[in-house]
Amino acid sequence: MNAHAAPQGAFPDRDGTLFRVWAPASAAVSLVLCGAKKKMIAMRQSGGGYWEALSQSAGPGTLYKYLLEGRGEFPDPASAAQPQGVHGPSMVPQPPEAFSWTDQAWKGASPSEMIIYELHPGTFSPGGDLRGVMEKLPYLKDLGINAVELMPLAQFPGTRNWGYDGVYPYAVQDSYGGPEALKALVNACHTEGIAVMLDVVYNHLGPEGNYLSNFGPYFTDRYRTPWGSAINYDGADSAPVREFFIGNAMRWFREFRVDALRLDAVHGIFDFGAKHFLAELAERTAELSR
């Protein structure tokens, strides 16, 4: 199976929603559609430890989890939204084409000319969310800012947090407004001539709500970081783990039109394989840019 061609997550279209998850050690995986009546759908193996299911009844807004035989029910590791927090069900997102972008005139900004303002989305405005940041764009323009760096948005426990112990790298924090609010902010920034940088954490995940190890060998005990278990970038079955995080970066660029990523604590990314994770990430980013 080509990992590049098979990202994880929930992918809605006119025929329903395709669900795909990597769970190589599981003997059976079921999709659990959460609602007034729970619906269980047996998933099929699609190679390489991946499981898939197509639900014609599930569309954007549908809540779901995965049932791993002998382990229990867990949210989607590649969840795009966690409206009930880190322990609640995942939510099928809107398809990428549903958002109406108006930033077609935006051509990007030269890094050498960026005047960057790092901000905490939860404290920067009275509203404490991404739409609150939008309301203060005139203030940033008056300051002479042409790039904002958003502190981490990956879903974390609670409603306010520094963001560095996120546990769902693909999900935009629900208390900040979720994925559609981030798209709206990026669109507004670009319209105002402001680039958007996103702080991402690829060296560890936080402890609360971190269910990744139930799905596969995402972590390794060969290395330790100051924040806990290191991510498995170079051990057995590490290829899908690498793709999980590289695919995350590609998604911020492709679907959310983020201009740049700031990677947290790269000294905590341990990889002694033939090609370091950061080198592969740089190559894939350059390829996407071209």
Side-chain angles (χ1 to χ4, degrees), residues 1 3 20 22 27 41 80 87 134 152-153 157 163 165 176 182 201 232 243 245 253 271:
M1 179 177 182
R20 185 184 296 112
W22 184 59
I41 301 174
H87 304 293
M134 287 175 58
L153 302 177
D165 59 352
Y176 292 168
L182 178 57
V201 183
N232 175 28
E243 183 59 30
F245 288 98
F253 291 136
D271 183 357

Side-chain angles (χ1 to χ4, degrees), residues 23 25-32 40 42-43 51 66-74 214-215:
S26 295
V29 180
S30 295
L31 170 67
V32 182
M40 308 275 287
M43 304 184 77
W51 299 76
Y66 292 122
L67 174 63
L68 306 182
E69 185 176 83
R71 294 179 182 266
E73 289 184 14
F74 305 100
N214 291 284
F215 287 87

Side-chain angles (χ1 to χ4, degrees), residues 67-128:
L67 174 63
L68 306 182
E69 185 176 83
R71 294 179 182 266
E73 289 184 14
F74 305 100
D76 185 352
S79 170
Q82 290 292 123
Q84 297 178 24
V86 296
H87 304 293
S90 304
M91 186 171 75
V92 177
Q94 294 290 330
E97 62 272 15
F99 187 84
S100 298
W101 293 92
T102 60
D103 68 342
Q104 286 77 14
W106 173 250
K107 300 301 181 184
S110 170
S112 63
E113 297 176 353
M114 285 184 178
I115 302 173
I116 303 169
Y117 190 110
E118 181 183 10
L119 63 87
H120 186 295
T123 61
F124 182 66
S125 72

Side-chain angles (χ1 to χ4, degrees), residues 42-212:
M43 304 184 77
R44 63 176 182 84
Q45 291 181 304
S46 55
Y50 289 85
W51 299 76
E52 293 183 355
L54 176 65
S55 171
Q56 295 180 328
S57 63
T62 299
L63 299 177
Y64 69 98
K65 284 189 172 185
Y66 292 122
L67 174 63
L68 306 182
E69 185 176 83
R71 294 179 182 266
E73 289 184 14
F74 305 100
D76 185 352
S79 170
Q82 290 292 123
Q84 297 178 24
V86 296
H87 304 293
S90 304
M91 186 171 75
V92 177
Q94 294 290 330
E97 62 272 15
F99 187 84
S100 298
W101 293 92
T102 60
D103 68 342
Q104 286 77 14
W106 173 250
K107 300 301 181 184
S110 170
S112 63
E113 297 176 353
M114 285 184 178
I115 302 173
I116 303 169
Y117 190 110
E118 181 183 10
L119 63 87
H120 186 295
T123 61
F124 182 66
S125 72
D129 58 15
L130 294 168
R131 295 196 181 276
V133 176
M134 287 175 58
E135 294 169 3
K136 296 188 71 173
L137 290 183
Y139 162 75
L140 293 172
K141 288 274 289 185
D142 287 344
L143 282 179
I145 302 302
N146 64 5
V148 294
E149 179 187 334
L150 304 175
M151 292 178 70
L153 302 177
Q155 186 78 29
F156 51 73
T159 58
R160 295 293 181 274
N161 188 299
W162 285 114
Y164 293 96
D165 59 352
V167 288
Y168 294 92
Y170 284 73
V172 179
Q173 176 67 18
D174 68 304
S175 59
Y176 292 168
E180 298 308 299
L182 178 57
K183 292 177 183 179
L185 173 59
V186 174
N187 190 59
C189 284
H190 288 173
T191 302
E192 293 293 334
I194 298 174
V196 179
M197 305 170 68
L198 181 59
D199 202 341
V200 294
V201 183
Y202 293 155
N203 58 77
H204 76 288
L205 277 79
E208 184 180 346
N210 181 356
Y211 298 112
L212 277 183

